[in-house]
Amino acid sequence: MSLDLPLITIKKLAIESGYSEFALRSKIARGDFAEGIHFIKAPDGRIHFIVKGYLSWLESSHIEKGFKSPSTGITRDIAPPSPSHQPKTTLNTQVN
């Protein structure tokens, strides 16, 4: 994706990203993309994506899973480590 422009239309993002315009609009409706962070609306209602915001969203899925960021090379773990798999302890109670 080209970083030549700070803003691109939803149509251009669909071409560049591989997401359909419908999918991008669905992500806006679901709240996956926040206005002012990932996109802005022009006075006529046309949606323009903020390229840096979109790329940040795209990389966030890797950071949340503890993957290395391709842009910084830093690995981040957001979720706590999973507990070790220990056998469950059962109590033996007898009813007389």
Side-chain angles (χ1 to χ4, degrees):
M1 177 174 301
S2 173
L3 293 175
D4 297 338
L5 298 172
L7 299 172
I8 59 174
T9 63
I10 196 167
K11 184 175 185 175
K12 177 74 171 174
L13 182 61
I15 292 166
E16 293 286 330
S17 69
Y19 284 108
S20 68
E21 287 184 54
F22 178 81
L24 293 168
R25 291 180 193 281
S26 294
K27 290 179 186 315
I28 289 170
R30 276 197 313 263
D32 293 344
F33 296 132
E35 189 168 359
I37 296 172
H38 302 105
F39 71 95
I40 60 172
K41 285 186 182 178
D44 64 358
R46 189 173 194 179
I47 296 171
H48 296 267
F49 269 84
I50 302 165
V51 173
K52 286 184 180 181
Y54 170 77
L55 292 174
S56 176
W57 171 82
L58 189 62
E59 290 179 349
S60 71
S61 66
H62 295 290
I63 292 170
E64 289 174 7
K65 295 176 184 172
F67 292 107
K68 187 183 292 185
S69 168
S71 60
T72 64
I74 297 172
T75 301
R76 296 185 181 143
D77 289 320
I78 293 178
S82 61
S84 61
H85 296 286
Q86 297 177 359
K88 291 184 180 179
T89 305
T90 57
L91 298 175
N92 290 328
T93 57
Q94 293 181 346
V95 179
N96 291 339

